[in-house]
Amino acid sequence: MNIITKTRVGISKYLIKKQQKKLNRQIEVCNIHKAQNALIVGNISNEEGIKAIQKMKAFFAERNINCEVIGYSNKKSASNLISDTKHHYLINENFSYFYIPKLVEVKTVLNKSHDVLVNLYEEHSYQIENTVKLSNAKFKVGCSSFEADTHDLLLNIEETQKDPLFITEQMQHYITIINS
């Protein structure tokens, strides 16, 4: 990581901490039996990531849980994806210089008090990390490739098993059994 990126990340962490203090987030362990609404954050850069999002969305739909999706692509454009009231797609230009989401629609979704947030992003990304940190979700679940304070429940998944569908299965399992 070069000096410019380190500086951007440092300033980003400061700005995020400042915004998190204003959130008034209530942390509460929430399993699949208590959840009424959910937020899925995932990778739309590749087909496996999209399939993982669809699988998690179907998992919530089977249990009559309202679900919203924030998808992120690190590619230049995601012109084949159209956002609506339940699906929000982000690319790099939708973030500030300090990796903070700029879209009003996404900020609105993040301000909602979702019962559970599931981060299916298997690789570290400052954009996704900041998006998850700014969420007002009561219970956040994700992979250990992110900072420990990003999620309430971290799944430590081996580097060789970082397949989006495997991660989805693991998250479904733990969301189901936790606090049962």
Side-chain angles (χ1 to χ4, degrees), residues 68-79:
E68 291 187 84
V69 175
I70 295 178
Y72 168 67
S73 175
N74 56 9
K75 297 180 179 172
K76 294 276 185 214
S77 71
S79 58

Side-chain angles (χ1 to χ4, degrees), residues 37-52:
N37 54 57
L39 176 61
I40 300 170
V41 178
N43 184 356
I44 58 169
S45 299
N46 56 49
E47 199 62 38
E48 295 86 27
I50 293 170
K51 285 179 183 175

